[in-house]
Amino acid sequence: MLKIGLTGGIASGKSVVASRLRELGAVLVDADALAREVVEPGTPGLASVVEAFGEDMLGADGGLDRARLGALVFGNPDRLAVLNSIVHPLVRERAAAMIGTAPRGAVVVQDIPLLVETGQGSNFHLVLVVDAPDEARVQRMVEHRDMTEEQARSRMAAQAARDVRLAAADVVLDNSGTVDELKAAVDALWTGRLAPFADNISKERPAPRTGGPVLAPADPTWATQAARLAARIQAAVPADILAVDHIGSTAVHGLDAKDIIDLQLTVADLATADRIAPLLAAAGFPLWPGVFADSPKPSHPDPAAWAKRLHGNADPGRPVNLHIRPAGSPGWRFALCFRDWLRDDAAARTEYLAEKRRVAALHSVDRSTAGYAADKEAWFSEHAAGRMDDWVKRTGWQPPSYATATAAGSGGSAAGATAGRTAQS
């Protein structure tokens, strides 16, 4: 199933988005609703709250006096932490039970007001953040929730800052306009991204690629996007991964590139890669069929040295190449060294960008990504190899130390390896 985390600041319009997603067919798990359910009269949750905060937290009907409890914990981090330690595990347990009954191929949306504050983003395939300007949110709370402006701003200050919440978002839904405009944005997201994403996950296939080798202007958010993706991958198989690194052109600040995030997942061996493939597919990163090696180079002519696995992203809104390579292998080493060389050497960046633009122009008509990658191979061999080796000698660059135990047979020059035709976008 496709797991979506939905969040937004108070009065941002998150409830409108949640309701619309449910109308479109999503299975909605509302954390606020569950938080009320787990402390209803007769529940163990209510008994625990009374034990922690006293009988005066009960109303005349025997139910929880939410206003009194809220006044007690708001602005008091210690008391709030006690309440959260009671309620949050119960909510997670109830949510897990609901999710467990969702059908294959479902879009499951978890509405979690404190998703960012509690660091849950890596638990989801996508995080949706509903956003609105601060002044608009204050006005809504004053007009519709009978708050004073001071109370409204105090509630906002108790949540994650707006910029922190936006940095955690894969998708931002702007609610600075009308409700109808917000619903239209949700509809477009559902049709263009969420429904295809869920279908791709259920069929364990990467989203198809279109558009050919088109270079996009350098995007300063590529690094943040890569970090979110890497965290999800790490969460999916934490015990089997040595590292997840951002590689390729999108990992080099200021370098134009195809808008594809390249990640390198380092494993001890390819048996591990094959074993974790189903877990990666469930996390949204299925195997690309038919790609099992990088192109050998003369310094390492044995094709077996270049074996790897390549996964893609089932999300049509974010193309990803996930290269799984054994630590110490030639392709693994090159991917890290080439990235670091380009980051450090401005002249190399300029020359590589010129080559990318030249080859992209050659394939502007046939739109062949494979042809684009193949035509760059000569530049790597004829121009990059010696210069990168010189840079390694001059700087003393070394790959990460975790590769030492598995690096047998990975000798030779840094430029004698290549990250493969899909690695360098």
Side-chain angles (χ1 to χ4, degrees):
M1 64 185 70
L2 175 62
K3 295 182 290 186
I4 302 294
L6 173 64
T7 194
I10 185 170
S12 63
K14 179 170 58 65
S15 296
V16 173
V17 172
S19 177
R20 187 59 176 171
L21 287 169
R22 181 167 51 190
E23 291 171 358
L24 291 168
V27 176
L28 181 63
V29 180
D30 187 333
D32 275 347
L34 295 183
R36 291 190 291 271
E37 290 178 15
V38 299
V39 291
E40 287 181 346
T43 62
L46 181 59
S48 296
V49 169
V50 171
E51 181 180 357
F53 296 99
E55 294 281 346
D56 55 348
M57 291 299 105
L58 296 176
D61 61 355
L64 183 65
D65 188 332
R66 299 180 187 280
R68 181 174 296 177
L69 179 61
L72 182 68
V73 303
F74 185 74
N76 188 318
D78 292 337
R79 288 180 172 177
L80 180 60
V82 172
L83 179 61
N84 288 342
S85 72
I86 295 169
V87 174
H88 286 180
L90 297 172
V91 170
R92 287 194 291 268
E93 181 181 355
R94 187 71 64 86
M98 293 179 65
I99 294 168
T101 63
R104 181 178 177 85
V107 177
V108 178
V109 176
Q110 290 187 248
D111 181 346
I112 306 177
L114 299 180
L115 184 151
V116 174
E117 291 84 345
T118 53
Q120 298 182 59
S122 60
N123 297 335
F124 300 97
H125 294 102
L126 283 179
V127 171
L128 311 187
V129 170
V130 187
D131 181 57
D134 289 349
E135 293 307 315
R137 294 164 58 203
V138 169
Q139 183 178 356
R140 291 167 188 168
M141 284 184 273
V142 170
E143 293 180 356
H144 304 298
R145 304 192 186 191
D146 296 324
M147 292 185 185
T148 66
E149 181 174 334
E150 181 180 0
Q151 289 171 329
R153 294 191 183 279
S154 179
R155 291 296 182 91
M156 290 167 56
Q159 296 182 328
R162 185 184 180 197
D163 60 338
V164 173
R165 196 161 41 241
L166 292 176
D170 297 288
V171 177
V172 177
L173 290 165
D174 178 19
N175 188 25
S176 59
T178 67
V179 171
D180 286 344
E181 289 171 337
L182 180 60
K183 289 181 176 179
V186 175
D187 291 353
L189 177 67
W190 179 272
T191 301
R193 189 166 183 177
L194 301 188
F197 195 172
D199 188 48
N200 289 336
I201 286 179
S202 69
K203 294 175 180 175
E204 297 187 1
R205 67 186 180 196
R209 300 276 176 85
T210 60
V214 177
L215 299 185
D219 184 343
T221 72
W222 277 334
T224 303
Q225 293 181 55
R228 286 199 302 268
L229 293 161
R232 289 184 183 124
I233 293 165
Q234 188 73 56
V237 279
D240 298 293
I241 295 176
L242 298 177
V244 183
D245 291 291
H246 186 195
I247 60 170
S249 295
T250 61
V252 180
H253 181 73
L255 184 62
D256 295 354
K258 291 188 283 128
D259 188 16
I260 299 173
I261 301 292
D262 281 288
L263 300 172
Q264 178 166 270
L265 192 164
T266 304
V267 293
D269 50 49
L270 289 180
T272 300
D274 293 336
R275 179 166 49 80
I276 67 176
L279 299 175
L280 292 172
F285 301 94
L287 182 72
W288 276 110
V291 181
F292 298 107
D294 292 314
S295 301
K297 289 296 183 184
S299 60
H300 293 81
D302 182 2
W306 302 88
K308 72 169 184 179
R309 301 294 182 264
L310 180 66
H311 290 238
N313 196 354
D315 177 9
R318 169 32 65 206
V320 171
N321 290 326
L322 176 60
H323 309 264
I324 307 182
R325 297 187 176 102
S329 64
W332 171 88
R333 179 183 172 94
F334 177 87
L336 298 170
C337 187
F338 185 73
R339 176 201 65 189
D340 293 349
W341 175 48
L342 290 183
R343 285 175 172 177
D344 186 59
D345 190 326
R349 287 196 304 273
T350 299
E351 184 177 333
Y352 184 47
L353 178 57
E355 175 65 8
K356 284 153 60 79
R357 287 173 172 165
R358 183 189 72 82
V359 177
L362 288 178
H363 294 279
S364 60
V365 176
D366 64 22
R367 304 172 71 85
S368 171
T369 299
Y372 166 85
D375 284 345
K376 287 194 301 176
E377 286 294 313
W379 186 87
F380 288 120
S381 298
E382 298 171 10
H383 298 279
R387 293 172 58 191
M388 190 163 70
D389 272 346
D390 290 343
W391 176 81
V392 168
K393 293 173 184 177
R394 185 175 70 254
T395 63
W397 181 90
Q398 290 291 329
S401 59
Y402 56 72
T404 302
T406 54
S410 65
S413 69
T418 178
R421 293 185 175 180
T422 55
Q424 307 303 331
S425 55

